[in-house]
Amino acid sequence: MVSKNQIKLITSLQQKKYRFTNKLFFAEGVKVIQELLQSNFELEHLYTTQNDFEEVLSAKKTVIDDNDLKKISALSSPNSCLAVFKVPVEKKMIESGLILALDSIRDPGNLGTILRLCDWFGIHQLVCSKETVDIYNPKVVQATMGSIARVNVSYTDLNAFISKTKLPVFGTFMDGVNIYKTSLSQEGIIIMGNEANGISAEIEKLVQNRLTIPRFGEIQKTESLNVATATAIILSEFRRNS
Amino acid sequence: MVSKNQIKLITSLQQKKYRFTNKLFFAEGVKVIQELLQSNFELEHLYTTQNDFEEVLSAKKTVIDDNDLKKISALSSPNSCLAVFKVPVEKKMIESGLILALDSIRDPGNLGTILRLCDWFGIHQLVCSKETVDIYNPKVVQATMGSIARVNVSYTDLNAFISKTKLPVFGTFMDGVNIYKTSLSQEGIIIMGNEANGISAEIEKLVQNRLTIPRFGEIQKTESLNVATATAIILSEFRRNS
């Protein structure tokens, strides 16, 4: 059984302000929940329709039916389990090596996919502008496939952060140098811009290294790559010769 | 005004079987519709809430209100226009150069993003297994951002197609050779597999060149890349030295 108050609390966590005031977020599905449990995420409570998760103390686990799961899930086709976790205290930023910085990424799926790419390419620090979608948004948590447990994510004033860094700053533009023909350092901040508007004018001023992913189509009409696929290509280029 | 019959027809086109029987599909939004109009797609009828698209004959255009648009749109927040186009006759397959082949891609967003990547990287032919999501699915059309007008897409028995090709066949696996350290040809078929299961066993037998995108994370737990981001990295590698 899930009480009315629990349903109210969990569904409220779909909104950022309630995640913030309650310092809680939730994840759905066995794989993501297991990854979070194995990492340093503190479980508040697990709801499952199966007799699984033997490692979780019974005081922190409630077996519920499909009907109850539907009431708390954010998915149109709910999985078999949902777990509420405490939002961890933001860790100190890692200011060395390669850092990815996001200037107003708005789509939860894009942020989740980018976090998964950071994990794959060994990027330990993701820095998000305050306008970027919240990492504990349920759709982001879902799209990260567990990578949320392995990459340090910080929200900050991006302008202030980049203004004071001593690391080289990279950004992608239509008029940059060919990324395939530039030697890329293994230290620096790589900035990816908003889905519709790219990197903002204010941040663009702070970019010393303007890069371009060349187009190969003969009819050069494709206006841009999706930000997650562009991030994939850029991280691959930075790492391929490391 | 949109008649009841028109609403019934257009909403039915969200389903593949009705697109097939009516030989029609629809697109939403000014940008995508303009790209399709400028290409060889034959307009059946345009519905718009604005007094725009001056190039379209009035016999083929109906100005409607937001309420009517809502009734025919597949989007939760409808755009300002929706256009019904004829499904073109499938063009002859281009069997030279680099060809991308999809083995059961199921997510419309992934297929749309992959088509956009083909366009960017000058891949003229996309070959889809019959189990791959339909390219005229409204969510695919939306995600292609107009690239649907510039890449030739064919649905075929993938096994039969690959069995008879003389081109080299490439596929990505966990145990392949490092893609960064292999010389890649500018002719061949690159196969991308299903989101959950990768390349099927039947198709895997036909792959001569097993490739891997190396992981760089120290804790090597990331199980896989999203298929669209993996495609981005692979196409970038094939093209970067061309």
Side-chain angles (χ1 to χ4, degrees), chain A residues 31 38 113 116-117 119-122 124 147 150 180 213-219 221-226 228-229 232-233 236-237 239-240 242, chain B residues 31 35 38 113 116-117 119-122 124 147 150 180 213-218 221-226 228-229 232-233 236-237 239-240 242:
Chain A
K31 194 183 136 56
Q38 283 162 20
T113 306
R116 216 166 140 191
L117 284 165
D119 190 17
W120 185 273
F121 284 110
H124 304 301
S147 295
R150 290 183 296 275
Y180 301 138
I213 302 170
R215 275 186 301 213
F216 292 83
E218 281 145 37
I219 308 165
K221 272 196 177 172
T222 327
E223 283 185 18
S224 70
L225 289 166
N226 161 286
T229 56
I233 294 163
S236 174
E237 279 301 312
R239 286 301 194 211
R240 76 189 300 287
S242 70
Chain B
K31 196 185 136 55
E35 295 256 16
Q38 282 162 20
T113 306
R116 215 167 140 192
L117 284 165
D119 190 16
W120 185 274
F121 284 110
H124 304 301
S147 295
R150 291 183 295 274
Y180 300 138
I213 302 171
R215 273 188 300 213
F216 291 83
E218 280 144 36
K221 273 193 173 172
T222 328
E223 282 186 17
S224 69
L225 289 167
N226 160 286
T229 57
I233 295 163
S236 174
E237 280 301 313
R239 286 300 194 211
R240 75 189 301 288
S242 71

Coordinates of all heavy atoms in Angstrom, one line a residue, chain A residues 31 38 113 116-117 119-122 124 147 150 180 213-219 221-226 228-229 232-233 236-237 239-240 242, chain B residues 31 35 38 113 116-117 119-122 124 147 150 180 213-218 221-226 228-229 232-233 236-237 239-240 242:
Chain A
K31 N 17.6 -1.4 -13.2 CA 19.0 -1.1 -13.6 C 19.5 0.2 -12.9 O 20.5 0.3 -12.3 CB 19.1 -1.0 -15.1 CG 20.6 -1.0 -15.6 CD 20.7 -0.9 -17.1 CE 21.8 0.1 -17.4 NZ 23.1 -0.3 -16.9
Q38 N 24.3 1.0 -5.5 CA 25.7 0.5 -5.4 C 26.6 1.7 -5.2 O 27.8 1.6 -4.9 CB 26.1 -0.3 -6.6 CG 25.6 -1.7 -6.6 CD 25.6 -2.4 -8.0 OE1 26.3 -1.9 -8.9 NE2 24.8 -3.4 -8.1
T113 N 21.6 11.9 -22.0 CA 22.5 11.3 -23.0 C 24.0 11.9 -22.8 O 24.9 11.2 -22.9 CB 22.0 11.6 -24.4 OG1 20.6 11.1 -24.4 CG2 22.8 10.9 -25.4
R116 N 25.7 10.4 -19.9 CA 26.2 9.0 -20.3 C 27.5 9.1 -21.1 O 28.4 8.3 -21.0 CB 25.1 8.4 -21.1 CG 24.8 6.9 -20.9 CD 23.5 6.6 -21.5 NE 23.6 5.3 -22.2 CZ 22.6 4.8 -23.0 NH1 21.5 5.5 -23.3 NH2 22.8 3.6 -23.6
L117 N 27.6 10.1 -22.0 CA 28.8 10.3 -22.8 C 29.9 10.7 -21.9 O 31.1 10.2 -22.2 CB 28.5 11.4 -23.9 CG 27.7 11.0 -25.1 CD1 27.2 12.2 -25.8 CD2 28.5 10.1 -26.0
D119 N 30.5 9.8 -18.9 CA 30.8 8.6 -18.2 C 31.7 7.7 -19.1 O 32.8 7.2 -18.8 CB 29.5 7.9 -17.8 CG 29.8 6.7 -16.9 OD1 30.9 6.6 -16.3 OD2 28.9 5.9 -16.7
W120 N 31.2 7.6 -20.4 CA 31.9 6.7 -21.4 C 33.3 7.3 -21.7 O 34.3 6.5 -21.8 CB 31.1 6.7 -22.7 CG 31.7 5.7 -23.7 CD1 32.7 6.1 -24.6 CD2 31.4 4.4 -23.9 NE1 33.0 5.0 -25.4 CE2 32.2 3.9 -25.0 CE3 30.5 3.5 -23.3 CZ2 32.2 2.6 -25.4 CZ3 30.5 2.2 -23.7 CH2 31.3 1.7 -24.8
F121 N 33.4 8.6 -21.8 CA 34.7 9.2 -22.2 C 35.5 9.7 -21.0 O 36.5 10.4 -21.2 CB 34.4 10.3 -23.2 CG 34.1 9.9 -24.6 CD1 32.8 10.0 -25.1 CD2 35.1 9.2 -25.4 CE1 32.5 9.5 -26.4 CE2 34.8 8.8 -26.6 CZ 33.5 8.9 -27.1
G122 N 35.2 9.2 -19.8 CA 36.0 9.5 -18.7 C 36.1 11.0 -18.3 O 37.1 11.5 -17.9
H124 N 35.1 13.6 -15.7 CA 34.7 13.4 -14.3 C 33.8 14.6 -13.8 O 33.1 14.4 -12.8 CB 35.9 13.3 -13.4 CG 36.8 12.1 -13.8 ND1 36.3 10.9 -13.9 CD2 38.0 12.1 -14.3 CE1 37.3 10.1 -14.3 NE2 38.3 10.8 -14.6
S147 N 24.6 6.5 -15.1 CA 25.8 7.3 -15.2 C 25.8 8.4 -14.2 O 26.9 9.0 -13.8 CB 26.0 7.9 -16.6 OG 26.2 6.9 -17.5
R150 N 28.2 8.3 -11.4 CA 29.7 8.2 -11.7 C 30.3 9.5 -12.2 O 31.5 9.6 -12.4 CB 30.0 7.1 -12.7 CG 29.8 5.7 -12.1 CD 30.2 4.6 -13.0 NE 29.4 4.6 -14.2 CZ 28.2 3.9 -14.3 NH1 27.8 3.3 -13.3 NH2 27.5 3.9 -15.4
Y180 N 39.0 18.2 -36.8 CA 39.8 17.0 -37.2 C 41.2 17.4 -37.4 O 42.1 16.5 -37.5 CB 39.2 16.4 -38.4 CG 37.8 15.9 -38.3 CD1 36.9 16.1 -39.4 CD2 37.3 15.2 -37.2 CE1 35.6 15.6 -39.3 CE2 36.0 14.8 -37.1 CZ 35.2 15.0 -38.1 OH 33.8 14.5 -38.0
I213 N 32.8 21.2 -36.3 CA 32.7 19.9 -36.8 C 32.3 20.0 -38.3 O 31.2 20.6 -38.6 CB 31.6 19.0 -36.1 CG1 31.8 19.0 -34.6 CG2 31.4 17.7 -36.7 CD1 30.7 18.4 -33.8
P214 N 33.2 19.6 -39.2 CA 32.9 19.9 -40.7 C 31.7 19.1 -41.1 O 31.4 18.0 -40.7 CB 34.1 19.4 -41.4 CG 35.2 19.2 -40.3 CD 34.5 18.9 -39.1
R215 N 31.0 19.7 -42.1 CA 29.9 19.0 -42.8 C 30.4 18.3 -44.0 O 31.3 18.9 -44.7 CB 28.8 20.0 -43.2 CG 27.8 20.4 -42.2 CD 26.8 21.3 -42.8 NE 27.4 22.5 -43.4 CZ 26.7 23.6 -43.4 NH1 25.5 23.8 -42.9 NH2 27.3 24.7 -43.9
F216 N 29.8 17.2 -44.4 CA 30.2 16.5 -45.6 C 29.1 16.4 -46.6 O 29.4 15.9 -47.7 CB 30.7 15.1 -45.2 CG 32.0 15.1 -44.4 CD1 32.0 15.3 -43.0 CD2 33.2 15.0 -45.0 CE1 33.2 15.4 -42.3 CE2 34.4 15.1 -44.3 CZ 34.4 15.3 -42.9
G217 N 27.9 16.8 -46.3 CA 26.9 16.7 -47.3 C 27.2 17.6 -48.5 O 27.7 18.7 -48.3
E218 N 26.8 17.2 -49.7 CA 27.1 18.1 -50.9 C 26.1 19.2 -50.9 O 26.5 20.4 -51.1 CB 26.9 17.3 -52.2 CG 28.2 16.4 -52.4 CD 27.8 15.1 -53.1 OE1 26.9 15.1 -53.9 OE2 28.5 14.1 -52.7
I219 N 24.9 19.0 -50.6 CA 23.9 20.1 -50.5 C 24.0 20.4 -49.0 O 23.5 19.7 -48.1 CB 22.5 19.6 -50.8 CG1 22.4 19.0 -52.1 CG2 21.5 20.8 -50.7 CD1 21.1 18.2 -52.4
K221 N 22.8 21.8 -46.4 CA 21.6 22.5 -45.8 C 21.4 22.1 -44.4 O 20.7 22.8 -43.7 CB 20.4 22.1 -46.7 CG 20.2 23.0 -47.9 CD 18.8 22.8 -48.3 CE 18.4 23.7 -49.5 NZ 17.1 23.4 -50.1
T222 N 21.9 21.0 -44.0 CA 21.7 20.6 -42.6 C 22.2 21.7 -41.7 O 23.4 22.1 -41.7 CB 22.5 19.3 -42.2 OG1 22.6 18.5 -43.4 CG2 21.9 18.6 -41.1
E223 N 21.3 22.3 -40.9 CA 21.7 23.5 -40.2 C 22.6 23.2 -39.0 O 23.4 23.9 -38.6 CB 20.5 24.2 -39.8 CG 19.9 25.0 -40.9 CD 18.8 25.9 -40.5 OE1 18.6 26.1 -39.4 OE2 18.0 26.3 -41.5
S224 N 22.3 22.1 -38.3 CA 23.1 21.8 -37.1 C 22.9 20.4 -36.7 O 22.0 19.7 -37.2 CB 22.7 22.7 -35.9 OG 21.4 22.3 -35.5
L225 N 23.8 19.9 -35.9 CA 23.6 18.6 -35.3 C 22.9 18.7 -34.0 O 22.9 19.8 -33.4 CB 25.0 18.0 -35.0 CG 25.8 17.6 -36.3 CD1 27.3 17.4 -35.9 CD2 25.2 16.4 -36.9
N226 N 22.2 17.7 -33.6 CA 21.6 17.7 -32.3 C 22.8 17.8 -31.2 O 23.9 17.3 -31.5 CB 20.9 16.3 -32.1 CG 20.6 15.9 -30.7 OD1 21.5 15.5 -30.0 ND2 19.4 16.0 -30.3
A228 N 23.4 16.5 -28.4 CA 24.0 15.3 -27.8 C 24.9 14.6 -28.8 O 26.0 14.1 -28.5 CB 22.9 14.3 -27.4
T229 N 24.5 14.6 -30.1 CA 25.4 13.9 -31.1 C 26.6 14.8 -31.4 O 27.7 14.2 -31.6 CB 24.7 13.6 -32.5 OG1 24.1 14.8 -33.0 CG2 23.6 12.6 -32.3
A232 N 29.0 14.0 -28.6 CA 29.6 12.7 -28.8 C 30.8 12.8 -29.7 O 31.9 12.3 -29.5 CB 28.6 11.7 -29.5
I233 N 30.7 13.6 -30.8 CA 31.8 13.7 -31.8 C 33.0 14.5 -31.2 O 34.1 14.1 -31.3 CB 31.3 14.4 -33.1 CG1 30.3 13.5 -33.8 CG2 32.4 14.8 -34.0 CD1 29.4 14.2 -34.8
S236 N 34.8 12.4 -28.5 CA 35.5 11.4 -29.2 C 36.8 12.0 -29.8 O 37.9 11.4 -29.6 CB 34.6 10.8 -30.3 OG 35.4 9.9 -31.1
E237 N 36.7 13.2 -30.3 CA 37.9 13.8 -30.9 C 39.0 14.2 -29.8 O 40.2 14.0 -30.0 CB 37.5 15.1 -31.7 CG 37.0 14.8 -33.1 CD 38.0 14.1 -33.9 OE1 39.2 14.5 -34.0 OE2 37.7 13.1 -34.6
R239 N 39.4 12.7 -27.0 CA 40.0 11.5 -26.4 C 40.7 10.6 -27.4 O 41.6 9.8 -26.9 CB 38.9 10.6 -25.8 CG 38.3 11.2 -24.5 CD 39.4 11.4 -23.4 NE 38.8 11.6 -22.1 CZ 39.4 12.4 -21.2 NH1 40.6 12.9 -21.4 NH2 38.8 12.5 -20.0
R240 N 40.5 10.6 -28.7 CA 41.0 9.6 -29.6 C 42.5 9.6 -29.6 O 43.1 8.5 -29.9 CB 40.4 9.8 -31.0 CG 40.9 10.9 -31.8 CD 40.1 11.1 -33.0 NE 40.1 10.0 -34.0 CZ 41.1 9.6 -34.7 NH1 42.2 10.2 -34.6 NH2 41.0 8.5 -35.5
S242 N 44.4 10.5 -27.0 CA 45.0 10.7 -25.6 C 45.7 9.4 -25.2 O 45.6 8.4 -25.8 CB 43.9 11.0 -24.7 OG 43.0 9.8 -24.5
Chain B
K31 N 9.5 25.0 -40.5 CA 10.8 24.6 -41.0 C 10.7 23.3 -41.8 O 11.2 23.2 -42.9 CB 11.8 24.5 -39.8 CG 13.2 24.5 -40.3 CD 14.2 24.2 -39.1 CE 15.2 23.2 -39.5 NZ 16.0 23.5 -40.7
E35 N 11.1 22.7 -45.9 CA 12.1 21.8 -46.5 C 11.5 20.7 -47.4 O 12.0 20.4 -48.5 CB 12.9 21.0 -45.4 CG 13.6 22.0 -44.4 CD 15.1 21.9 -44.7 OE1 15.5 21.4 -45.8 OE2 15.9 22.4 -43.9
Q38 N 10.2 22.4 -50.6 CA 11.4 22.7 -51.5 C 12.0 21.5 -52.2 O 12.7 21.6 -53.2 CB 12.4 23.5 -50.8 CG 12.1 25.0 -50.5 CD 12.9 25.6 -49.4 OE1 14.0 25.1 -49.1 NE2 12.4 26.7 -48.9
T113 N 17.2 11.3 -35.5 CA 18.6 11.9 -35.3 C 19.6 11.2 -36.2 O 20.5 11.9 -36.7 CB 19.0 11.6 -33.8 OG1 17.9 12.2 -33.0 CG2 20.3 12.3 -33.4
R116 N 19.4 12.7 -39.6 CA 20.1 14.0 -39.6 C 21.6 13.9 -39.7 O 22.3 14.6 -40.3 CB 19.7 14.7 -38.3 CG 19.5 16.2 -38.3 CD 18.8 16.6 -37.1 NE 19.3 17.9 -36.6 CZ 19.0 18.4 -35.4 NH1 18.3 17.7 -34.5 NH2 19.5 19.5 -35.0
L117 N 22.1 12.9 -39.0 CA 23.6 12.6 -39.0 C 24.0 12.2 -40.4 O 25.1 12.6 -40.9 CB 23.9 11.5 -38.0 CG 24.0 11.9 -36.6 CD1 24.0 10.7 -35.7 CD2 25.2 12.8 -36.3
D119 N 22.7 13.0 -43.2 CA 22.7 14.3 -44.0 C 23.9 15.1 -43.8 O 24.6 15.5 -44.7 CB 21.4 15.0 -43.6 CG 21.1 16.2 -44.5 OD1 21.7 16.3 -45.6 OD2 20.3 17.1 -44.1
W120 N 24.3 15.2 -42.5 CA 25.5 16.0 -42.1 C 26.8 15.4 -42.7 O 27.6 16.1 -43.2 CB 25.6 16.1 -40.6 CG 26.7 17.0 -40.1 CD1 28.0 16.6 -39.9 CD2 26.6 18.4 -39.8 NE1 28.8 17.7 -39.5 CE2 27.9 18.8 -39.4 CE3 25.6 19.3 -39.8 CZ2 28.2 20.1 -39.0 CZ3 25.9 20.6 -39.4 CH2 27.2 21.0 -39.1
F121 N 26.8 14.1 -42.6 CA 28.1 13.4 -43.0 C 28.0 12.9 -44.5 O 28.9 12.1 -44.9 CB 28.4 12.2 -42.0 CG 29.0 12.7 -40.7 CD1 28.2 12.6 -39.6 CD2 30.2 13.3 -40.7 CE1 28.7 13.1 -38.4 CE2 30.7 13.8 -39.5 CZ 30.0 13.7 -38.3
G122 N 27.1 13.4 -45.2 CA 27.0 13.0 -46.7 C 26.8 11.6 -46.9 O 27.4 11.0 -47.9
H124 N 24.4 9.1 -48.4 CA 23.2 9.3 -49.3 C 22.2 8.2 -49.2 O 21.1 8.4 -49.6 CB 23.7 9.4 -50.8 CG 24.7 10.5 -50.9 ND1 24.5 11.8 -50.6 CD2 26.0 10.5 -51.4 CE1 25.5 12.5 -50.9 NE2 26.5 11.7 -51.3
S147 N 15.9 16.7 -42.9 CA 16.9 15.8 -43.6 C 16.2 14.7 -44.4 O 16.8 14.1 -45.3 CB 17.8 15.2 -42.5 OG 18.6 16.2 -41.9
R150 N 16.6 14.8 -48.0 CA 17.9 14.8 -48.7 C 18.6 13.4 -48.6 O 19.7 13.3 -49.1 CB 18.8 15.9 -48.1 CG 18.4 17.3 -48.5 CD 19.3 18.3 -47.9 NE 19.3 18.4 -46.5 CZ 18.5 19.1 -45.8 NH1 17.6 19.8 -46.3 NH2 18.6 19.1 -44.4
Y180 N 39.6 4.0 -33.6 CA 40.5 5.1 -33.7 C 41.9 4.6 -34.4 O 42.6 5.4 -34.8 CB 40.9 5.7 -32.4 CG 39.7 6.3 -31.7 CD1 39.5 6.1 -30.3 CD2 38.7 7.0 -32.3 CE1 38.4 6.6 -29.6 CE2 37.6 7.5 -31.6 CZ 37.5 7.4 -30.3 OH 36.4 7.9 -29.6
I213 N 34.2 1.3 -30.3 CA 34.5 2.6 -29.8 C 35.0 2.4 -28.4 O 34.3 1.9 -27.5 CB 33.2 3.5 -29.7 CG1 32.5 3.6 -31.1 CG2 33.5 4.9 -29.2 CD1 31.1 4.2 -31.1
P214 N 36.3 2.8 -28.2 CA 36.9 2.5 -26.8 C 36.2 3.4 -25.8 O 35.8 4.5 -26.0 CB 38.3 3.0 -27.0 CG 38.6 3.1 -28.5 CD 37.3 3.4 -29.1
R215 N 36.2 2.8 -24.6 CA 35.7 3.5 -23.4 C 36.9 4.1 -22.7 O 38.0 3.6 -22.6 CB 35.1 2.5 -22.4 CG 33.7 2.3 -22.6 CD 33.1 1.4 -21.5 NE 33.8 0.2 -21.3 CZ 33.3 -1.0 -20.9 NH1 32.0 -1.0 -20.6 NH2 34.0 -2.1 -20.9
F216 N 36.7 5.3 -22.1 CA 37.8 6.0 -21.4 C 37.5 6.1 -19.9 O 38.4 6.5 -19.1 CB 38.0 7.3 -22.0 CG 38.6 7.3 -23.4 CD1 37.8 7.1 -24.5 CD2 40.0 7.3 -23.6 CE1 38.3 6.9 -25.8 CE2 40.5 7.2 -24.8 CZ 39.7 7.0 -25.9
G217 N 36.4 5.8 -19.4 CA 36.1 5.9 -18.0 C 36.9 4.9 -17.2 O 37.2 3.8 -17.7
E218 N 37.4 5.3 -16.0 CA 38.3 4.5 -15.2 C 37.4 3.3 -14.6 O 37.8 2.2 -14.6 CB 38.9 5.3 -14.1 CG 40.2 6.0 -14.6 CD 40.3 7.4 -13.9 OE1 40.0 7.4 -12.7 OE2 40.7 8.3 -14.6
K221 N 32.0 1.0 -16.3 CA 30.7 0.4 -16.0 C 29.7 0.8 -17.1 O 28.6 0.1 -17.2 CB 30.2 0.8 -14.6 CG 30.7 -0.1 -13.5 CD 29.9 0.2 -12.3 CE 30.2 -0.8 -11.2 NZ 29.6 -0.3 -9.9
T222 N 29.9 1.9 -17.7 CA 28.9 2.3 -18.7 C 28.7 1.2 -19.7 O 29.7 0.8 -20.4 CB 29.5 3.5 -19.5 OG1 30.3 4.3 -18.7 CG2 28.4 4.4 -20.1
E223 N 27.5 0.7 -19.8 CA 27.3 -0.5 -20.6 C 27.4 -0.2 -22.1 O 27.8 -1.0 -22.9 CB 26.0 -1.2 -20.2 CG 26.3 -1.9 -18.9 CD 25.1 -2.7 -18.6 OE1 24.2 -3.0 -19.4 OE2 25.0 -3.1 -17.4
S224 N 26.8 0.9 -22.5 CA 26.8 1.1 -23.9 C 26.5 2.6 -24.2 O 26.0 3.3 -23.3 CB 25.7 0.3 -24.6 OG 24.4 0.7 -24.2
L225 N 26.7 3.0 -25.4 CA 26.3 4.4 -25.8 C 24.9 4.3 -26.4 O 24.6 3.2 -26.9 CB 27.3 4.9 -26.8 CG 28.7 5.2 -26.3 CD1 29.7 5.4 -27.5 CD2 28.7 6.5 -25.5
N226 N 24.2 5.3 -26.4 CA 23.0 5.4 -27.1 C 23.3 5.2 -28.6 O 24.3 5.7 -29.1 CB 22.3 6.8 -26.8 CG 21.3 7.2 -27.8 OD1 21.7 7.6 -28.9 ND2 20.1 7.2 -27.4
A228 N 22.2 6.6 -31.3 CA 22.4 7.8 -32.1 C 23.8 8.4 -31.8 O 24.5 8.9 -32.8 CB 21.3 8.8 -31.9
T229 N 24.2 8.4 -30.6 CA 25.5 9.0 -30.3 C 26.6 8.1 -30.8 O 27.7 8.6 -31.3 CB 25.7 9.3 -28.8 OG1 25.5 8.1 -28.0 CG2 24.8 10.4 -28.3
A232 N 27.0 8.8 -34.4 CA 27.7 10.1 -34.6 C 29.2 9.9 -34.6 O 29.9 10.3 -35.5 CB 27.3 11.1 -33.5
I233 N 29.7 9.1 -33.6 CA 31.1 8.9 -33.5 C 31.6 8.1 -34.7 O 32.7 8.4 -35.2 CB 31.4 8.2 -32.1 CG1 31.0 9.1 -31.0 CG2 32.9 7.7 -32.0 CD1 30.9 8.4 -29.6
S236 N 31.7 10.1 -37.9 CA 32.7 11.1 -37.8 C 34.1 10.4 -38.1 O 34.9 11.0 -38.8 CB 32.7 11.7 -36.4 OG 33.8 12.5 -36.2
E237 N 34.3 9.2 -37.6 CA 35.6 8.5 -37.8 C 35.7 8.1 -39.3 O 36.8 8.2 -39.8 CB 35.6 7.2 -36.9 CG 36.0 7.5 -35.5 CD 37.4 8.2 -35.4 OE1 38.4 7.7 -36.0 OE2 37.5 9.2 -34.6
R239 N 34.5 9.6 -41.8 CA 34.7 10.8 -42.7 C 35.9 11.6 -42.3 O 36.4 12.4 -43.2 CB 33.5 11.7 -42.5 CG 32.2 11.2 -43.2 CD 32.5 11.0 -44.7 NE 31.2 10.8 -45.5 CZ 31.1 10.0 -46.5 NH1 32.2 9.4 -47.0 NH2 30.0 9.9 -47.2
R240 N 36.4 11.6 -41.1 CA 37.5 12.5 -40.7 C 38.7 12.5 -41.6 O 39.4 13.5 -41.7 CB 37.8 12.4 -39.2 CG 38.6 11.2 -38.9 CD 38.7 11.0 -37.3 NE 39.3 12.2 -36.6 CZ 40.5 12.5 -36.6 NH1 41.4 11.8 -37.3 NH2 41.0 13.5 -35.9
S242 N 38.7 11.5 -44.8 CA 38.3 11.3 -46.2 C 38.7 12.6 -47.0 O 39.0 13.6 -46.5 CB 36.8 11.1 -46.4 OG 36.1 12.3 -46.0

